[in-house]
């Protein structure tokens, strides 16, 4: 059944999640979550463990029933079309198993059969996908003999067998070594170039920033912020962070920073401290001058460059502080 | 029309490796041992070895073999099907199946067909051993066909039962134990319930009627089995073997044989269990 959902993307919307709620007993895993993803876009889903990413993705993949809310994929409400929408999605879970007693080609053949692909077409599709994920040389190997990274790529190839329009990838690079992560990233870039719409969750934030057209940060089941990487940076740019490294005792530097009206929270680390700063470059220079005047032995005085990771930590930290003060 | 991919994959993987030949060898080895011991015991009890061979011994050997094969089936099928779904869950492959448009009904049917195929393989492999009795006569091919039909019906029930529990319980071991408990109830429990009824409620006031016995034992696989081999039994042991004198049923018209009733129960219950398993397996109902 086609639904007439209106969206900022118009006809080019692939996924709409509207006021999604999932409750397990007394625990609210997903709390009124809404998002939209346009066709051909890559959406990065960021959040700490237990934030609700996997639950959301499982609902979108049709593996969990939401308590309330709506999920529409390419115009189809997944609760109204619980079977047919599955032909539009390819799902790769965070933890998955493989049939170790099958060969790579047999594994692909099995899932081709599951998706109803004709026997005559299967070898060609299998070859194309194995080439895409760089496993052609392993096609006659038993799945059991593949490394973790290869199994991840094989699972990705499996999710592409029926040429889905939307790919749901839950932590596709988790547990991989740096080399395997780079290989996985390359495959994802190829999929991006092929025009696939992808929703991807990951902890490796710099990689998401590089891959994704939009990002959503989720915490305790709620969407904290959503938009393009640039938009998110702008939205959170009202505060800057100064990192000061001092020789010896940090007390003097902490005292000085706390006296400054443009400085907010000061956090002390091993041999340096970080301070939230809300002022201009001139004010920052004045603080440095004051430190030198007070004979504080400063080794370095720098502004921390903002990236997605620091934004994430800032937002999640903010949420946690807010929750603590509420409690 | 394409073959169910679950059947194709399971058949391929189950027959691969050492497990299948070892299972078949153990199964046949056990049956051979039963035949050997049976003939050995009867020759010792008889007069002087094969020269005085009584054809009745061969027929009884067939009955013994059929019974042991049936008991093996009761023990092996739950083990084969107990992990049908739960093993997919345990090795984290279930979600990969359920996120596709492949119906849960096909998944369940595929698993059950494979378990029945496995049982059929064991039964077919045992044909040469069962065939020994044909050397001596007394057993008709139709008896054997009827027996195999009953085996398949029972395997269907046990396969559906194992798959159903496998769908409900997350651990394979729990579903196997539950299957055995259910089989225990069907084979021994129903018999105990019947005896309790006749002892405490009816107090043997009247001669137990056939319909009364059927009412208690229609689901009992052993009751059906006794009936299916009654042609080769030396006397009416089906009911008398259950503690009810054969004379008690004299004059009572047995319209439908117990094994047919039991087979009907197997088919109806299996259909219900398959439906429930497929429904339970659906992630979003």
């Amino acid at each position: 059944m086609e639904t007439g959902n209106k969206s900022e993307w118009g006809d080019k919307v692939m996924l709409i999640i509207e006021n999604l709620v999932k409750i397990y007993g007394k625990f609210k895993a997903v709390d009124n979550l809404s998002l939209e993803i346009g066709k051909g876009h890559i959406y990065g889903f960021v959040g700490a463990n237990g934030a609700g990413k996997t639950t959301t993705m499982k609902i979108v993949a049709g593996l969990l029933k939401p308590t309330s809310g709506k999920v529409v994929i390419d115009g189809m409400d997944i609760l109204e079309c619980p079977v047919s929408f599955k032909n539009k999605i390819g799902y790769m879970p965070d933890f998955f198993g493989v049939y170790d007693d099958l060969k790579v080609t047999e594994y692909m053949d099995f899932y081709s059969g599951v998706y109803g692909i004709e026997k005559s077409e299967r070898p060609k599709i299998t070859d194309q996908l194995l080439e895409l994920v760089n496993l052609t040389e392993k096609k006659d190997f038993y799945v059991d003999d593949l490394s973790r990274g290869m199994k991840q790529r094989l699972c990705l190839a499996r999710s592409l067998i029926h040429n889905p329009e939307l790919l749901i990838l839950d932590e596709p690079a988790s547990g991989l070594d740096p080399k395997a992560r780079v290989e996985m990233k390359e495959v994802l870039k190829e999929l991006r170039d092929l025009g696939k719409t992808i929703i991807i969750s990951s902890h490796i934030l710099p990689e998401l920033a590089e891959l994704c057209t939009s990002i959503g940060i989720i915490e305790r089941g709620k969407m904290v912020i959503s938009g393009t990487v640039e938009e998110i940076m702008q939205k959170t740019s009202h505060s800057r962070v100064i990192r000061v490294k001092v020789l010896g005792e940090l007390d003097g530097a902490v005292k000085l920073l706390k006296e400054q009206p443009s400085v907010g929270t000061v956090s002390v680390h091993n041999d340096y401290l970080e301070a939230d700063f809300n002022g201009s470059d001139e004010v920052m220079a004045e603080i440095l001058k004051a430190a030198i005047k007070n004979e504080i032995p400063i080794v370095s005085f720098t502004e921390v460059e903002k990236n997605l990771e620091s934004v994430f930590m800032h937002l999640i930290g903010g949420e946690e502080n807010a929750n603590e003060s509420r409690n | 029309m394409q073959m169910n991919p679950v059947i194709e994959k399971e058949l391929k993987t189950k027959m691969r490796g050492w497990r299948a030949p070892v299972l078949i060898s153990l199964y046949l080895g056990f049956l051979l041992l039963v035949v050997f011991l049976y003939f050995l015991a009867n020759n010792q009890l008889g007069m002087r070895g094969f020269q005085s061979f009584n054809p009745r011994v061969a027929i009884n050997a067939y009955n013994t073999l059929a019974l042991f094969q049936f008991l093996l089936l009761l023990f092996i099928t739950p083990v084969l099907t107990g992990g049908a779904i739960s093993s997919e869950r345990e090795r984290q492959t279930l979600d990969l199946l359920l996120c596709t448009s492949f119906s849960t009904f096909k998944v369940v049917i595929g698993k059950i067909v494979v378990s029945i195929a496995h049982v059929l393989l064991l039964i077919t492999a045992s044909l040469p051993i069962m065939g020994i009795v044909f050397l001596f006569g007394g057993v008709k091919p139709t008896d054997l066909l009827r027996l195999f039909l009953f085996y398949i019906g029972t395997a269907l029930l046990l396969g559906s039962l194992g798959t159903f529990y496998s769908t409900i319980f997350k651990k394979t071991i729990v579903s196997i134990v539950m299957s055995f408990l259910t089989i225990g109830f069907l084979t021994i429990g129903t018999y105990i319930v019947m005896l309790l009824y006749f002892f405490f409620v009816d107090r043997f006031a009247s001669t137990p009627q056939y319909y009364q016995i059927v009412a208690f034992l229609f689901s009992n696989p052993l009751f059906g089995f006794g009936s299916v081999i009654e042609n080769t039994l030396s006397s009416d042991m089906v009911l008398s073997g259950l503690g009810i004198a054969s004379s008690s049923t004299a004059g009572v018209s047995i319209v439908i044989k117990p094994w047919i009733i039991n087979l009907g129960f197997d088919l109806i219950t299996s259909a219900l269990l398959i439906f429930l398993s497929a429904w339970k397996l659906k992630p979003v109902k």
Side-chain angles (χ1 to χ4, degrees):
Chain A
M1 187 187 282
E2 300 281 321
T3 59
N5 277 68
K6 285 184 180 174
S7 154
E8 59 173 291
W9 303 91
D11 292 342
K12 293 184 176 174
V13 65
M14 175 53 74
L15 172 68
I16 301 172
I17 297 178
E18 227 174 69
N19 305 323
L20 195 69
V21 175
K22 179 70 188 175
I23 300 171
Y24 296 103
K26 287 180 180 173
F27 176 67
K28 215 173 207 179
V30 180
D31 188 1
N32 217 27
L33 188 113
S34 299
L35 66 89
E36 285 188 7
I37 305 175
K39 284 182 181 173
H41 284 252
I42 302 186
Y43 190 89
F45 212 30
V46 187
N49 288 335
K53 305 186 298 288
T54 297
T55 305
T56 306
M57 288 184 145
K58 280 195 167 184
I59 291 171
V60 176
L63 293 170
L64 278 178
K65 191 176 182 180
T67 307
S68 64
K70 197 172 182 180
V71 177
V72 179
I73 294 174
D74 201 17
M76 277 197 282
D77 187 320
I78 66 166
L79 290 178
E80 287 173 13
C81 322
V83 178
S84 51
F85 90 90
K86 289 182 178 175
N87 286 324
K88 289 185 177 282
I89 62 156
Y91 173 60
M92 182 176 168
D94 49 353
F95 296 105
F96 61 90
V98 284
Y99 301 107
D100 289 339
D101 39 11
L102 285 179
K103 289 180 178 177
V104 168
T105 45
E106 290 171 342
Y107 179 85
M108 293 295 284
D109 187 74
F110 167 62
Y111 282 104
S112 300
V114 164
Y115 281 109
I117 293 166
E118 289 294 326
K119 200 107 186 165
S120 57
E121 293 173 29
R122 294 181 199 173
K124 191 182 159 196
I125 293 172
T126 297
D127 286 346
Q128 285 174 346
L129 289 174
L130 290 182
E131 195 183 333
L132 178 76
V133 298
N134 203 15
L135 283 176
T136 305
E137 286 175 10
K138 305 285 181 187
K139 63 190 284 186
D140 294 321
F141 279 53
Y142 276 97
V143 175
D144 195 27
D145 295 334
L146 300 182
S147 67
R148 171 90 192 257
M150 288 173 187
K151 283 180 185 171
Q152 299 271 83
R153 280 184 278 142
L154 180 64
C155 189
L156 182 61
R158 174 206 59 81
S159 68
L160 291 163
I161 280 176
H162 56 303
N163 195 19
E165 291 168 59
L166 173 67
L167 274 174
I168 303 156
L169 311 178
D170 195 0
E171 304 270 2
S174 71
L176 298 184
D177 61 41
K179 183 173 175 281
R181 278 216 304 269
V182 170
E183 285 169 347
M184 178 60 83
K185 198 168 74 178
E186 290 308 313
V187 175
L188 293 177
K189 277 180 184 172
E190 281 196 53
L191 289 173
R192 180 186 62 187
D193 297 341
L194 288 170
K196 297 280 180 202
T197 308
I198 303 174
I199 175 165
I200 178 173
S201 73
S202 179
H203 285 128
I204 305 156
L205 303 179
E207 284 180 7
L208 277 187
E210 197 183 323
L211 271 174
C212 299
T213 46
S214 309
I215 301 273
I217 296 178
I218 180 175
E219 174 63 9
R220 293 170 199 259
K222 282 182 178 169
M223 187 67 84
V224 180
I225 196 164
S226 182
T228 62
V229 177
E230 293 75 28
E231 280 170 357
I232 289 176
M233 295 293 191
Q234 276 172 11
K235 281 179 192 174
T236 56
S237 65
H238 55 275
S239 71
R240 305 160 78 179
V241 177
I242 307 169
R243 182 176 292 171
V244 185
K245 195 172 178 184
V246 181
L247 206 60
E249 291 294 312
L250 298 172
D251 297 351
V254 172
K255 189 171 174 250
L256 175 80
L257 285 169
K258 281 189 173 172
E259 284 168 357
Q260 308 301 319
S262 55
V263 171
T265 318
V266 179
S267 54
V268 180
H269 300 266
N270 281 341
D271 60 343
Y272 67 92
L273 46 92
E274 279 185 354
D276 284 339
F277 172 72
N278 197 3
S280 63
D281 288 350
E282 287 75 20
V283 177
M284 202 187 286
E286 288 300 322
I287 295 173
L288 179 59
K289 261 198 252 175
I292 293 166
K293 194 178 169 188
N294 286 310
E295 295 180 344
I296 295 169
I298 288 175
V299 176
S300 67
F301 187 97
T302 50
E303 182 180 356
V304 177
E305 195 183 331
K306 268 207 166 164
N307 57 25
L308 195 57
E309 199 152 4
S310 59
V311 169
F312 173 69
M313 292 311 292
H314 178 79
L315 286 169
I316 298 306
E319 276 292 301
E320 278 173 3
N321 291 340
N323 281 313
E324 275 167 21
S325 59
R326 257 178 247 137
N327 294 332
Chain B
M1 193 177 148
Q2 291 185 33
M3 189 181 185
N4 183 326
V6 173
I7 298 175
E8 199 177 343
K9 179 195 72 91
E10 294 279 324
L11 287 179
K12 197 182 286 176
T13 52
K14 279 201 191 303
M15 292 314 294
R16 194 176 266 170
W18 55 270
R19 281 191 204 123
V22 166
L23 180 65
I24 295 169
S25 304
L26 285 176
Y27 184 78
L28 296 182
F30 185 77
L31 289 181
L32 268 176
L33 186 71
V34 169
V35 174
F36 175 74
L37 290 176
Y38 186 83
F39 279 122
L40 190 70
N42 279 280
N43 286 330
Q44 282 171 346
L45 293 171
M47 293 174 77
R48 279 186 187 82
F50 286 99
Q51 284 176 325
S52 61
F53 193 82
N54 177 2
R56 187 71 236 171
V57 172
I59 298 170
N60 285 343
Y62 165 82
N63 290 332
T64 309
L65 207 55
L67 176 65
F68 271 94
Q69 182 143 266
F70 188 64
L71 292 177
L72 280 177
L73 199 132
L74 292 184
F75 280 99
I76 290 174
T77 317
V79 176
L80 288 176
T81 55
I85 303 298
S86 51
S87 69
E88 294 272 355
R89 204 180 275 123
E90 280 167 354
R91 61 182 166 186
Q92 297 178 315
T93 47
L94 189 61
D95 276 358
L96 301 183
L97 270 179
L98 298 181
C99 71
T100 69
S101 51
F102 194 65
S103 78
T104 53
F105 180 74
K106 284 182 184 171
V107 175
V108 171
I109 286 288
K111 296 285 184 182
I112 291 170
V113 166
V114 170
S115 69
I116 292 172
H118 216 128
V119 170
L120 268 178
L121 176 70
L122 293 176
I123 292 170
T124 313
S126 72
L127 270 176
I129 300 173
M130 297 290 274
I132 292 171
V133 294
F134 287 104
L135 293 172
F136 308 105
V139 179
K140 287 181 267 179
T142 48
D143 292 331
L144 197 63
L145 276 176
R146 198 169 54 180
L147 178 69
F148 278 17
L149 180 67
F150 187 73
Y151 280 163
I152 294 167
T154 309
L156 175 68
L157 174 72
L158 301 181
S160 310
L161 192 67
T163 307
F164 174 67
Y165 283 133
S166 183
T167 311
I168 290 180
F169 298 106
K170 286 182 179 170
K171 301 245 178 198
T172 299
I173 189 72
V174 179
S175 69
I176 292 174
V177 169
M178 285 305 295
S179 295
F180 280 133
L181 285 177
T182 310
I183 292 168
F185 175 75
L186 290 177
T187 52
I188 303 165
T190 51
Y191 187 54
I192 293 171
V193 170
M194 183 184 75
L195 285 181
L196 289 175
Y197 171 80
F198 284 126
F199 193 77
F200 290 108
V201 182
D202 192 69
R203 294 174 186 276
F204 290 101
S206 56
T207 311
Q209 296 297 303
Y210 174 67
Y211 74 87
Q212 286 180 307
I213 297 164
V214 167
F216 283 103
L217 301 180
F218 69 97
S219 62
N220 192 321
L222 284 178
F223 181 64
F225 175 76
S227 156
V228 90
I229 60 164
E230 68 181 339
N231 284 354
T232 54
L233 290 174
S234 53
S235 60
D236 183 13
M237 288 170 67
V238 184
L239 301 179
S240 60
L242 294 162
I244 298 148
S246 58
S247 59
S248 67
T249 54
V252 176
S253 169
I254 299 177
V255 181
I256 307 171
K257 297 266 187 187
W259 73 270
I260 297 175
I261 295 172
N262 195 239
L263 203 58
F265 168 78
D266 290 350
L267 293 175
I268 292 168
T269 311
S270 300
L272 188 68
L273 289 172
I274 290 169
F275 171 78
L276 286 174
S277 303
W279 182 81
K280 182 76 181 64
L281 199 55
K282 274 186 186 176
V284 176
K285 297 169 188 83

